[in-house]
Amino acid sequence: MFKIVLFLGGLLCLLAVAGCKSKSASITSLQRKQAASLISEAEFALTIRELARAEKLLTQACALEFDNGKTWISLGMTRVRLGRKPAAKEAYESALKAYEEAYALQPKSAQLYLQQVYLLALMRRMTEARSVLAEIQKKHGADPEVRSFVQTRQLDAMVQAPQFKEIAL
């Protein structure tokens, strides 16, 4: 009995130590290369309109490289086109989380913050998108991209675009 308790205690300590490491740091360069290959193949599948194949490949890529917001967005878009909106929402939520984590590591990057606005708009969470945009304006008001985005009311124009409506929830 003592050995089992000791084993479980050791296992819990090992899990606790493993949990302290950055998730992105746990992605190996081999996994990133494999994900890049899968993404490339998925892009080809999308080109020839093989949506189910692209979804499968993008799902595999996201499992390998879970911190890549762009891949999660592609997966979400593909799922919307397949009519799988609940699954698309999960992918968009994962993309949002990836961009939030990336921004936390690079707080001077306004682009990572603008991506969050884009994702919130895709999920039709417009009040939250506008709130985040206002926060971006406070933190990155001098950034030319942010200034242009706000002054030209790109958020409103974006959500009205037919291409955006095709991939939004």
Side-chain angles (χ1 to χ4, degrees):
M1 179 72 166
F2 178 74
K3 288 181 181 180
I4 293 172
V5 171
L6 187 61
F7 172 76
L8 290 175
L11 185 61
L12 287 174
C13 287
L14 180 64
L15 290 173
V17 170
C20 293
K21 191 166 80 170
S22 165
K23 288 183 178 181
S24 293
S26 66
I27 300 172
T28 66
S29 62
L30 177 60
Q31 287 173 305
R32 293 205 185 273
K33 288 176 185 173
Q34 289 172 328
S37 177
L38 291 165
I39 292 164
S40 178
E41 192 175 340
E43 288 170 351
F44 175 74
L46 288 169
T47 301
I48 60 173
R49 293 187 169 85
E50 289 186 5
L51 297 177
R53 180 173 157 222
E55 179 192 21
K56 181 181 175 186
L57 293 164
L58 290 167
T59 300
Q60 292 171 348
C62 287
L64 289 169
E65 193 177 35
F66 48 82
D67 64 347
N68 188 333
K70 183 178 176 184
T71 306
W72 282 110
I73 291 172
S74 294
L75 178 60
M77 289 178 185
T78 303
R79 287 177 171 173
V80 168
R81 289 182 178 123
L82 286 167
R84 301 187 59 227
K85 287 194 176 188
K89 182 180 180 188
E90 289 176 15
Y92 288 156
E93 290 283 353
S94 295
L96 181 61
K97 182 179 176 189
Y99 282 115
E100 287 170 346
E101 290 175 0
Y103 181 77
L105 295 172
Q106 301 174 43
K108 293 186 180 185
S109 174
Q111 181 58 38
L112 293 171
Y113 221 174
L114 285 173
Q115 286 292 353
Q116 294 174 45
V117 172
Y118 175 70
L119 283 156
L120 291 166
L122 278 174
M123 293 185 284
R124 301 290 184 196
R125 292 164 47 183
M126 294 306 295
T127 304
E128 199 174 341
R130 291 184 197 291
S131 173
V132 171
L133 185 57
E135 197 173 318
I136 294 170
Q137 200 172 2
K138 286 179 190 172
K139 291 182 179 180
H140 302 282
D143 184 285
E145 190 173 359
V146 171
R147 201 171 330 118
S148 172
F149 191 89
V150 172
Q151 288 175 352
T152 60
R153 304 180 59 89
Q154 286 184 25
L155 179 59
D156 295 325
M158 180 176 64
V159 297
Q160 296 303 319
Q163 300 90 339
F164 184 87
K165 289 179 181 181
E166 288 177 10
I167 59 171
L169 298 178

